[in-house]
Amino acid sequence: MDFLVLFLFYLVFMLISVVMICICSKTHRLKGLVQGGAQLCLFPFSNYAFIILHLVLQGTVYTEYTWEIFGYCQELEFSLYYLLLPYLLLIICLIFFTLTCLTNPGTITKANELLFLQVYEFDEVMFPKNARCSTCDLKKPARSKHCSVCNWCVHRFDHHCVWVNNCIGAWNTRYFLIYLLTLTASAATMAIVSTMFLVHLVIVSDLYQETYIDDLGHPQSMDIVFLIQYLFLTFPRIVFLLGFVMVLSLLLGGYLCFVLYLAATNQTTNEWYKGDWAWCQLCPVVVRPPSAEPQVYENIHSHGLWRNLREIFLPTIPYSERKKK
């Protein structure tokens, strides 16, 4: 009964999140149309398929964890705090996932372009002064970029994330970081609990001391390969879930380390991709005469770890935007 209640709770929360994201996103983008004029339009390729897929996958993983591992671990008298930790991480993850989806990333419009121009210094390499967006016909503030999916310019543009159906910019990077951190932690926690269950099961049942008969009819001591095969045949769903969350933890963990590195050095994915690479000396961002000296991009926006993190978690909001709120 407890399993059913937890699953229904997640299902209801998922449905509410999808409805809120759909309604609020459309309202937010329509508002952008009114404020920005003709240069903005609704997302031509925007859809909620990846959001729904994300929530369905997350719900499937938690359903398997609840139905299989949670019950077995309770019978083996595992600590309830460890077993409930993935659910706590799930709630935090869904909250910041929703905030990432719904928060304005820092859309640049005619009403606020002059204010955004004063936030960051132009480096005259990657972000030249007096540049204009050919699509929006707006002056481009430093560190901004036009998103081809959303069809608008975003302040401190990082990337467009299909999983949240939104750009990651100055005003929602903090939510994206916490969402990614809790998502990675929840996958890692489930992997640890699943591994502890299987190891505990092997130790309690003395499986590692057993012998088996090979194809030639000879008795053999239990080895790790045969033990994994035995566990997979006995608990196929748990072993498959363990393999999935382990791979997911490694992938998310690697990406999280990259995102934390960008945050610590005050870079965006867009700037890192176009920035100080070896080939950038041969193919600089700014078009220049062949006789000119090569211009290599340098990160002029990094001011130390704590100031960089403070800029992400306490982003600069133009005065006009604060007044509207």
Side-chain angles (χ1 to χ4, degrees):
M1 188 55 130
D2 293 337
F3 304 153
L4 182 60
V5 171
L6 287 171
F7 175 70
L8 290 176
F9 170 78
Y10 177 82
L11 185 61
V12 171
F13 195 96
M14 181 184 72
L15 292 174
I16 294 175
S17 298
V18 171
V19 172
M20 285 180 60
I21 289 168
C22 292
I23 295 175
C24 293
S25 294
K26 288 194 174 186
T27 303
H28 164 64
R29 288 161 190 166
L30 285 171
K31 184 179 178 181
L33 278 171
V34 175
Q35 291 179 349
Q39 78 277 9
L40 294 178
C41 64
L42 289 176
F43 284 17
F45 305 105
S46 167
N47 61 75
Y48 304 99
F50 281 96
I51 290 181
I52 296 173
L53 177 61
H54 174 285
L55 294 173
V56 168
L57 285 174
Q58 200 169 28
T60 302
V61 169
Y62 269 88
T63 300
E64 286 297 312
Y65 172 82
T66 303
W67 190 261
E68 295 283 337
I69 299 173
F70 192 90
Y72 284 129
C73 288
Q74 275 192 315
E75 293 178 5
L76 294 175
E77 298 182 348
F78 274 55
S79 173
L80 194 59
Y81 295 106
Y82 295 115
L83 298 180
L84 293 178
L85 182 58
Y87 298 106
L88 175 62
L89 291 170
L90 172 66
I91 294 173
I92 300 174
C93 177
L94 288 176
I95 291 173
F96 284 95
F97 170 75
T98 305
L99 287 172
T100 306
C101 294
L102 298 182
T103 302
N104 183 338
T107 307
I108 302 172
T109 66
K110 288 186 180 296
N112 60 25
E113 64 173 328
L114 295 178
L115 296 170
F116 278 127
L117 286 168
Q118 304 171 19
V119 176
Y120 290 115
E121 181 182 354
F122 293 92
D123 57 22
E124 298 299 339
V125 177
M126 186 179 296
F127 304 108
K129 199 172 184 180
N130 299 323
R132 299 188 72 89
C133 177
S134 58
T135 306
C136 299
D137 194 29
L138 297 171
K139 292 182 179 179
K140 295 188 66 174
R143 312 190 76 182
S144 67
K145 186 180 183 297
H146 184 88
C147 178
S148 59
V149 179
C150 306
N151 198 29
W152 54 27
C153 287
V154 176
H155 177 55
R156 198 184 183 278
F157 178 86
D158 190 274
H159 70 287
H160 181 88
C161 182
V162 296
W163 295 104
V164 300
N165 194 33
N166 197 6
C167 290
I168 306 302
W171 297 347
N172 64 351
T173 298
R174 49 185 172 173
Y175 303 137
F176 179 75
L177 274 172
I178 301 175
Y179 152 68
L180 183 61
L181 178 64
T182 52
L183 184 64
T184 306
S186 62
T189 302
M190 280 193 284
I192 293 172
V193 173
S194 303
T195 302
M196 289 175 58
F197 163 70
L198 293 175
V199 170
H200 188 78
L201 186 67
V202 169
I203 294 175
V204 169
S205 59
D206 293 329
L207 281 174
Y208 62 96
Q209 296 179 351
E210 298 292 335
T211 59
Y212 66 95
I213 306 299
D214 61 15
D215 295 337
L216 301 176
H218 300 138
Q220 300 288 341
S221 299
M222 184 72 69
D223 55 24
I224 186 66
V225 176
F226 189 86
L227 184 59
I228 293 175
Q229 292 177 348
Y230 175 81
L231 291 174
F232 183 77
L233 292 174
T234 308
F235 305 99
R237 293 164 64 176
I238 294 179
V239 175
F240 180 81
L241 175 65
L242 174 60
F244 177 78
V245 293
M246 284 184 66
V247 172
L248 188 63
S249 299
L250 291 174
L251 293 175
L252 290 174
Y255 182 58
L256 177 63
C257 291
F258 171 69
V259 172
L260 291 176
Y261 161 75
L262 294 181
T265 56
N266 202 343
Q267 296 183 79
T268 65
T269 303
N270 176 57
E271 293 166 358
W272 175 85
Y273 178 74
K274 298 192 303 184
D276 192 13
W277 288 11
W279 55 264
C280 196
Q281 299 183 21
L282 301 176
C283 305
V285 177
V286 177
V287 178
R288 55 183 174 80
S291 60
E293 291 292 329
Q295 291 180 290
V296 181
Y297 170 71
E298 294 182 6
N299 182 13
I300 64 173
H301 303 292
S302 180
H303 304 291
L305 176 62
W306 298 116
R307 287 187 63 182
N308 293 341
L309 293 178
R310 184 176 64 182
E311 183 178 310
I312 290 175
F313 288 94
L314 296 173
T316 301
I317 300 177
Y319 177 75
S320 63
E321 296 292 332
R322 289 199 302 264
K323 190 175 181 181
K324 289 175 185 177
K325 292 180 181 180

